[in-house]
């Protein structure tokens, strides 16, 4: 698609060869019929009634095998490092759902992981699996801002909250100030001089997630440096996140020591390959082409973040290296693999390899082969495969 052919009358134009707003998407967010956020807590936990019991302020330290076996139906837990550690044993199975960081940490503390790494921190190896904590993958992004005279999307929070409390309407029912505009872009063949990391020829390389039009820089993970904020804050800017959807870089989750209450080492491995730089670099150019289209000539006046003066590949790469951050859509740290494969942590039925009585059902297992992340956000894919896992497990125990 060529952004320079964006036209005002897009609804009456062919979609061939130009950027048609009608094929853009809405941000994924979930609200119920009372304009209240619907989450996994409200949709799954709250209606479970007596089918689920949650121990508050409790920390799982290990899963435990029966003596001399790899049958992991025991769980050890405590309130904190100074508290007594207690144990439970499951009659059927233990299911770990600690997330992309917590799950491999539990496995490693339990002696399930790479033998050499476990020996180095003083944890006895029960199941030698070199894949635990490896292949950690997260989408990587950078913020972009463009000077504009378009009406800002700011609103008074107290007024908006009063409106929502009164009749469940107003700006707080939307996921962001700029409503919910998302664009996905696939580069042309001559823009990707590298092995294509996407699932196929119809899959996007990047996502533009628009957040707000404002003179106030939005919330970030710290990648907008403080020295850039005074300059940006003097201008009203269109603000968006540019996201590399299919990174090729891989990170790791490892233990610091044998203390299960110690934070693990989390290395997302961002931008460890040239391809990820190239994707974000071309993405920056793509957004800049979009806002240089004739339709924006009188309302958008150039990039302020990154500065418009950065034009060469080397300059854009330096910007990406300094400012990019993880998008917190991680997965793969306890990867699923085909049954019988020599790599991976769980089989397709979510069972931990070389064990019995133990499964993992969370985003750490979701992504199997390259490319390893969905072309978008991870909430719906995780909910989808968790529903599938629940069916598999329930059928087995009927």
């Amino acid at each position: 698609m060529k952004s320079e052919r964006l036209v005002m009358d897009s609804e009456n134009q062919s979609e061939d060869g130009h950027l048609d707003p009608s094929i853009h998407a809405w941000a994924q967010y979930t609200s119920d019929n009372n304009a209240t956020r619907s989450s996994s807590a409200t949709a799954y936990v709250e209606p479970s009634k007596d089918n689920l019991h949650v121990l508050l302020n409790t920390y799982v330290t290990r899963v435990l095998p029966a003596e001399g076996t790899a049958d992991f139906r025991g769980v050890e837990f405590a309130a904190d490092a100074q508290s007594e550690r207690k144990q439970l044993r499951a009659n059927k199975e233990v299911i770990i759902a600690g997330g992309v960081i917590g799950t491999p940490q539990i496995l490693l503390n339990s002696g399930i992981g790479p033998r050499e790494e476990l020996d180095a921190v003083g944890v006895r190896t029960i199941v030698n699996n070199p894949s635990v904590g490896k292949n950690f993958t997260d989408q990587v992004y950078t913020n972009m801002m463009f000077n504009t005279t378009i009406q800002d999307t700011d609103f008074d929070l107290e007024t908006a909250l009063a409106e929502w409390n009164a009749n469940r309407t107003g700006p707080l029912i939307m996921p962001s100030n700029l409503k919910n505009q998302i664009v996905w872009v696939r580069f042309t063949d001559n823009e990707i001089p590298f092995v294509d990391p996407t699932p196929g020829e119809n899959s996007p390389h990047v996502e533009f997630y628009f957040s707000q039009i404002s003179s106030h820089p939005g919330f970030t993970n710290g990648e907008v440096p403080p020295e850039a904020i005074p300059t940006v804050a003097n201008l009203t800017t269109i603000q968006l996140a540019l996201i590399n959807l299919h990174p090729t870089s891989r990170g790791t989750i490892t233990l610091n020591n044998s203390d299960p209450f110690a934070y693990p080492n989390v290395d997302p491995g961002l931008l460890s390959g040239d391809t990820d730089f190239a994707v974000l670099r071309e993405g920056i150019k793509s957004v800049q082409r979009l806002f240089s289209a004739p339709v924006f000539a009188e309302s958008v006046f150039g990039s302020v973040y990154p500065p418009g003066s950065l034009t060469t590949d080397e300059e854009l790469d330096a910007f990406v290296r300094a400012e990019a951050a993880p998008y917190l859509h991680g997965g793969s740290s306890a990867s699923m693999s085909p049954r019988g494969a020599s790599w991976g942590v769980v089989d397709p039925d979510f069972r931990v390899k070389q064990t019995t009585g133990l499964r993992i059902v969370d985003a750490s297992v979701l992504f199997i082969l390259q490319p390893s992340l969905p072309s978008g956000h991870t909430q719906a894919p995780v909910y989808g495969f968790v529903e599938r896992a629940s069916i598999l497990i329930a059928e087995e125990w009927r």
Side-chain angles (χ1 to χ4, degrees):
M1 298 178 185
K2 298 298 183 182
S3 59
E4 59 269 19
R5 292 190 60 188
L6 177 67
V7 293
M8 295 290 286
D9 189 25
S10 288
E11 291 185 1
N12 298 316
Q13 301 292 326
S14 164
E15 294 179 359
D16 293 334
H18 77 279
L19 191 61
D20 188 333
S22 67
I23 64 171
H24 297 175
W26 303 110
Q28 175 186 311
Y29 68 105
T30 46
S31 297
D32 62 20
N33 58 4
N34 196 37
T36 301
R37 181 181 179 187
S38 176
S39 66
S40 57
T42 61
Y44 291 94
V45 175
E46 190 174 305
S48 64
K49 302 183 188 261
D50 197 46
N51 194 40
L52 174 69
H53 299 266
V54 179
L55 295 179
L56 301 178
N57 304 313
T58 305
Y59 190 91
V60 173
T61 54
R62 294 182 297 168
V63 289
L64 302 171
E67 185 65 32
T69 74
D71 186 90
F72 284 84
R73 297 175 205 263
V75 179
E76 180 185 82
F77 57 93
D80 53 48
Q82 288 72 45
S83 300
E84 176 189 359
R85 296 191 189 182
K86 300 182 179 181
Q87 296 181 7
L88 291 174
R89 187 157 184 86
N91 291 327
K92 294 180 178 178
E93 292 182 334
V94 170
I95 301 171
I96 299 177
V100 295
I101 295 173
T103 286
Q105 182 185 15
I106 291 171
L107 292 176
L108 294 168
N109 279 315
S110 305
I112 304 172
R115 184 183 300 277
E116 290 185 2
E117 293 182 9
L118 295 179
D119 288 347
V121 295
V123 174
R124 181 173 70 92
T125 301
I126 299 174
V127 175
N128 180 23
N129 186 331
S131 295
V132 175
K134 303 301 186 289
N135 203 43
F136 178 42
T137 309
D138 196 358
Q139 294 167 340
V140 58
Y141 84 112
T142 184
N143 283 293
M144 297 187 70
M145 303 180 191
F146 290 80
N147 184 14
T148 188
T149 55
I150 299 174
Q151 177 62 46
D152 67 52
T153 58
D154 294 338
F155 59 86
D156 180 75
L157 182 57
E158 291 187 3
T159 301
L161 182 58
E163 180 180 359
W164 184 83
N165 281 323
N167 53 33
R168 293 301 193 266
T169 62
L172 290 183
I173 69 171
M174 305 304 289
S176 67
N177 293 27
L178 196 53
K179 309 310 179 189
N180 53 1
Q181 308 291 332
I182 301 181
V183 178
W184 282 275
V185 172
R186 179 173 179 82
F187 304 138
T188 60
D189 291 342
N190 62 348
E191 290 173 327
I192 48 172
F194 43 77
V195 176
D196 186 7
T198 70
E201 61 183 13
N202 294 318
S203 299
H205 290 95
V206 293
E207 174 187 317
F208 309 161
Y209 191 102
F210 293 87
S211 58
Q212 64 179 1
I213 301 174
S214 179
S215 59
H216 308 289
F219 173 80
T220 72
N221 292 336
E223 66 276 13
V224 179
E227 59 269 21
I229 292 177
T231 300
V232 173
N234 291 332
L235 302 170
T236 297
T237 58
I238 300 173
Q239 301 174 20
L240 68 139
L242 167 69
I243 308 155
N244 177 354
L245 296 170
H246 299 289
T248 60
S249 301
R250 297 292 181 264
T252 59
I253 311 294
T254 58
L255 295 182
N256 260 311
N257 52 46
S258 60
D259 178 6
F261 289 92
Y263 291 131
N265 299 310
V266 180
D267 178 8
L270 298 181
L271 302 174
S272 55
D274 293 339
T275 297
D276 291 344
F277 276 101
V279 169
L280 285 175
R281 182 176 67 236
E282 293 304 321
I284 291 172
K285 294 177 182 178
S286 181
V287 180
Q288 291 173 337
R289 286 196 300 272
L290 169 65
F291 286 119
S292 65
V295 69
F296 294 116
E298 297 182 1
S299 58
V300 181
F301 307 104
S303 175
V304 296
Y305 192 84
S309 58
L310 304 183
T311 58
T312 68
D313 287 355
E314 293 75 17
E315 289 172 331
L316 293 176
D317 284 354
F319 170 80
V320 168
R321 184 179 295 281
E323 317 304 341
Y327 203 51
L328 307 182
H329 283 172
S332 302
S333 55
S335 296
M336 183 180 288
S337 67
R339 193 180 308 277
S342 61
W343 58 275
V345 179
V346 299
D347 286 330
D349 59 2
F350 300 90
R351 294 184 187 277
V352 176
K353 293 175 183 290
Q354 306 178 60
T355 74
T356 56
L358 184 62
R359 301 196 206 223
I360 299 172
V361 183
D362 61 29
S364 66
V365 309
L366 174 59
F367 314 114
I368 305 171
L369 298 172
Q370 174 68 23
S372 64
L373 294 175
S375 299
H377 299 204
T378 50
Q379 179 187 23
V382 169
Y383 284 16
F385 88 81
V386 167
E387 291 276 8
R388 175 58 180 162
S390 68
I391 293 171
L392 286 173
I393 296 168
E395 287 179 345
E396 182 163 333
W397 290 102
R398 279 201 179 104

